[in-house]
Amino acid sequence: MKNRGKLLEQLTGVDSSKLNYYVELKKRNQDVLKQNSRLEILQQLTRDINIDMSIGDIIERAFRKLPEALPCDFLALAKLQDGKLKLLAVSPRDFTDLGYIPKQSVIWNAFRDKGATSYNPMQDPLCLAQMTTKHTEPLRSLAAAPLFERSSVTGLLLLGSTIDAAYARAELNFVQHLADQLAISMQNARLYKQVSRAKKEWEATFRAVTDPIFLIDTDYNVLLHNGQLPPGMSVHWNRAVTNKCFAKLKGASEPCQNCPLQEIKETGKPVFQQWNTPEGESLELSYYPVFNEDKQLAAVTIIMKDVTKKLKMEAQLVQSAKMVALGVMAAGVAHELNSPMTVIIGTAQMLARDMQDDEDTERAEALSDIINCGLRCKRIIQNLLTFSRQDQAPFTPINLNAEAERVLDMIQYQINRSQIAIFEHFDRELPKIKANGPQIQQVLTNFLINARDALTVPEGKEKVIEVATSLRIEGGRRFAVLSVTDNGIGIAPENVSKIFTPFYTSKEATKGTGLGLSVSLGIAESHHGRIEVESTLGQGSCFSLVLPVDEA
């Protein structure tokens, strides 16, 4: 009876209040410990998720940790795409096939209500639980929490358990916290990928620029460069022991005099310079200031542009214009000389006839020499005039041998005074071809001048140029060939493919423009012909103009 009375006292009296208090306190302690455990798991998940992980990796990492905090036999993530909820990741992966969640499913309620909700998936025939194929035990509890991005719902986090009513309010709060953390992690991963892609695209563009680009700070240190260096600068760049721009670019031990960096610090405006390197390269340097958020000078961008070829081309164009003006002057002089030469020849012929009647043989022979030289000069002048009117002459039947002889009459003196012997081998049976005579003369003139310039052979070796014409049969068609062969310095094999490029020349700027062979090739092609080159370095070259005799 005493024990029974004591028990009633404990249940109804002061002792019962103490017991309820301790039971409640113990329950609250257990809830706090459970909540702390969940927070620790949430923090660990957040720490383990990297910004370079995929959504599938994030879901699998979370699925391995969640059973420590709450019942979890299934975890999935669905994203809104074109107004539809599509499963992007599921764990376990073989739990269900990835697909769209039907609009009639109760899962959409969490999307519309913007709050975590739990369901009994057994009561929803369209629910995700009914789509399982490999797991025999169905889900009896399902929690759905919205994923927020700037206050807008962009998807759902789904958790499932085989336990009935596994997700109370405390569990739903945890699921919502987890959804918020995953949304932030996925947003960070997406932003990271965007920034990373933009960075890679910028770096690819930066390195694709062929001109050298450098970024230096205000203390002359090279911060970035695109790896494009002029050949003469690579030596200094590789040998430099410091990262200073003056050491990297010029091999100097201190800043350059009148360094543009000082001017940019004072004015904050771009500076432009031209630099002629010891290797003979001409570089245009552009210095552009880079400012930080406080509008303070943070760095300077240097862009180098190699203008060596450009300056050389400009000099060649000037020389070409000079040659054109000289040609016009020569044509005018030829016109002026033509009339006096006619008078000289005519007067000499009359005097010679009178002396023949007087039988003054000695003086008649002297006048005959004057007449012959005058006729030769007049023929040279006429050829020069014809040559200067090349654009006006149409395609007419011409004798290739005659055109070659006209050119030799004009240029033979220039070649002979260089102590060069000219040999002619003309095929006198060569048929006529339809061509522009002055243009053919221009091609042969260019061949002869190039041959003369190539004959810089050592003293004691005979300098020879051979001009020849011949007939060639190819594929049943006849071709006339006009060739010029010399025993000069020849052409290196790697340069043979470059000689027809406009402005390419191995001569000094004052001796050639690099246009002769390019123009000659154009003339040959306009005649439906071609130019053939055979050359051996140190032994000589042969240039041949091949023109069709028969119409195609």
Side-chain angles (χ1 to χ4, degrees):
M1 292 294 294
K2 291 182 178 179
N3 292 337
R4 182 178 180 184
K6 185 65 175 176
L7 179 60
L8 289 174
E9 185 178 351
Q10 289 177 349
L11 294 176
T12 58
V14 178
D15 290 339
S16 67
S17 299
K18 292 180 181 180
L19 180 61
N20 291 336
Y21 169 77
Y22 285 115
V23 170
E24 185 67 23
L25 180 61
K26 183 178 180 181
K27 182 179 178 182
R28 290 189 179 184
N29 287 337
Q30 290 176 348
D31 291 341
V32 170
L33 291 175
K34 184 184 294 185
Q35 187 68 17
N36 289 340
S37 176
R38 289 173 178 175
L39 291 176
E40 288 178 3
I41 293 174
L42 185 63
Q43 183 179 6
Q44 186 176 359
L45 276 173
T46 306
R47 185 172 60 250
D48 291 344
I49 294 174
N50 299 322
I51 56 178
D52 57 346
M53 292 175 62
S54 65
I55 294 178
D57 294 336
I58 292 175
I59 292 299
E60 286 193 5
R61 183 69 61 87
F63 180 72
R64 288 198 295 267
K65 292 290 184 181
L66 280 179
E68 300 177 15
L70 75 171
C72 182
D73 299 302
F74 166 78
L75 182 65
L77 187 139
K79 291 285 287 185
L80 188 66
Q81 294 183 355
D82 299 327
K84 299 179 180 180
L85 274 176
K86 178 176 174 56
L87 288 173
L88 297 183
V90 173
S91 189
R93 292 189 178 184
D94 59 350
F95 195 91
T96 184
D97 297 329
L98 296 178
Y100 292 97
I101 299 176
K103 282 276 191 179
Q104 297 82 4
S105 174
V106 294
I107 295 177
W108 276 86
N109 292 340
F111 186 89
R112 301 186 190 98
D113 298 340
K114 298 184 178 181
T117 312
S118 62
Y119 309 98
N120 183 354
M122 303 297 294
Q123 300 176 1
D124 182 10
L126 297 176
C127 184
L128 186 68
Q130 305 304 318
M131 299 171 60
T132 59
T133 58
K134 295 185 178 181
H135 290 257
T136 56
E137 190 173 0
L139 296 178
R140 292 182 174 82
S141 299
L142 186 67
L147 301 172
F148 290 96
E149 185 174 341
R150 296 179 181 178
S151 72
S152 298
V153 180
T154 60
L156 293 176
L157 178 66
L158 306 174
L159 281 83
S161 174
T162 58
I163 302 174
D164 290 323
Y167 305 115
R169 176 48 51 189
E171 284 74 19
L172 290 179
N173 290 337
F174 174 76
V175 172
Q176 186 60 62
H177 286 307
L178 176 62
D180 293 340
Q181 289 296 329
L182 291 180
I184 294 173
S185 298
M186 288 187 294
Q187 186 175 359
N188 290 340
R190 179 172 55 82
L191 293 175
Y192 172 78
K193 289 180 180 179
Q194 291 178 354
V195 173
S196 178
R197 182 170 61 250
K199 181 175 180 292
K200 290 180 180 178
E201 291 174 353
W202 178 85
E203 289 179 349
T205 303
F206 180 68
R207 297 187 181 281
V209 178
T210 56
D211 294 329
I213 303 178
F214 307 90
L215 183 69
I216 64 172
D217 61 16
T218 55
D219 197 28
Y220 307 100
N221 295 306
V222 178
L223 303 177
L224 289 173
H225 70 93
N226 64 344
Q228 304 289 343
L229 293 173
M233 195 178 296
S234 300
V235 178
H236 300 309
W237 186 274
N238 296 327
R239 290 181 179 177
V241 294
T242 68
N243 205 34
K244 303 294 185 181
C245 61
F246 49 81
K248 288 280 191 181
L249 302 181
K250 297 186 177 181
S253 57
E254 56 185 16
C256 309
Q257 293 183 351
N258 302 321
C259 178
L261 186 58
Q262 298 299 327
E263 183 177 346
I264 292 176
K265 288 180 179 179
E266 296 174 0
T267 64
K269 296 180 179 180
V271 177
F272 306 95
Q273 284 187 345
Q274 184 164 331
W275 175 28
N276 295 322
T277 67
E279 291 77 16
E281 298 170 331
S282 297
L283 303 176
E284 284 185 354
L285 278 69
S286 303
Y287 298 79
Y288 298 98
V290 179
F291 300 98
N292 57 20
E293 296 83 357
D294 300 327
K295 296 184 179 181
Q296 300 292 325
L297 182 66
V300 174
T301 300
I302 305 176
I303 302 177
M304 293 185 178
K305 191 171 186 64
D306 190 344
V307 295
T308 307
K309 293 182 179 179
K310 175 186 174 184
L311 296 178
K312 187 177 181 180
M313 188 179 296
E314 290 175 352
Q316 291 169 338
L317 287 173
V318 171
Q319 182 69 11
S320 298
K322 188 188 301 183
M323 296 301 293
V324 171
L326 185 60
V328 174
M329 292 174 57
V333 171
H335 273 292
E336 294 296 328
L337 291 177
N338 202 27
S339 297
M341 288 304 302
T342 302
V343 175
I344 291 172
I345 293 171
T347 303
Q349 287 175 339
M350 288 188 294
L351 289 174
R353 188 168 53 250
D354 293 341
M355 289 181 180
Q356 286 177 352
D357 294 339
D358 297 338
E359 297 182 353
D360 191 348
T361 307
E362 184 176 350
R363 292 186 178 183
E365 291 178 355
L367 284 174
S368 178
D369 291 339
I370 293 175
I371 294 170
N372 291 334
C373 290
L375 290 173
R376 182 172 181 272
C377 292
K378 188 174 178 62
R379 186 167 63 252
I380 293 173
I381 292 172
Q382 189 61 42
N383 290 338
L384 184 60
L385 290 173
T386 304
F387 183 77
S388 66
R389 293 195 301 268
Q390 56 181 308
D391 291 335
Q392 302 173 8
F395 279 36
T396 58
I398 64 168
N399 187 321
L400 197 59
N401 295 330
E403 300 298 334
E405 289 171 349
R406 291 190 183 98
V407 174
L408 289 173
D409 283 342
M410 287 190 298
I411 203 172
Q412 191 164 15
Y413 171 73
Q414 301 179 38
I415 295 178
N416 286 341
R417 77 174 192 170
S418 299
Q419 298 179 347
I420 300 173
I422 298 181
F423 296 96
E424 302 174 7
H425 299 285
F426 295 152
D427 183 356
R428 297 300 174 181
E429 302 298 326
L430 194 67
K432 289 186 176 182
I433 61 174
K434 194 172 183 180
N436 184 319
Q439 288 186 354
I440 301 303
Q441 294 179 30
Q442 181 178 355
V443 175
L444 179 57
T445 301
N446 180 258
F447 285 177
L448 290 170
I449 291 175
N450 287 344
R452 180 202 64 184
D453 294 340
L455 286 168
T456 57
V457 296
E459 293 294 335
K461 181 179 179 180
E462 183 181 10
K463 302 177 183 179
V464 175
I465 294 178
E466 178 183 340
V467 182
T469 59
S470 60
L471 186 66
R472 181 189 299 177
I473 306 297
E474 292 182 359
R477 295 180 60 195
R478 297 181 300 170
F479 290 86
V481 182
L482 173 61
S483 61
V484 174
T485 306
D486 65 76
N487 62 339
I489 59 176
I491 306 172
E494 62 272 15
N495 293 332
V496 172
S497 60
K498 304 177 184 178
I499 59 177
F500 294 104
T501 304
F503 301 108
Y504 174 80
T505 178
S506 58
K507 306 174 186 177
E508 299 176 7
T510 57
K511 293 185 178 181
T513 63
L515 288 172
L517 285 176
S518 175
V519 173
S520 298
L521 180 61
I523 292 173
E525 292 176 345
S526 68
H527 285 74
H528 306 289
R530 64 183 185 274
I531 293 178
E532 297 177 349
V533 182
E534 296 179 6
S535 183
T536 303
L537 191 63
Q539 297 183 17
S541 305
C542 177
F543 283 78
S544 300
L545 174 64
V546 182
L547 300 173
V549 176
D550 304 316
E551 294 292 335

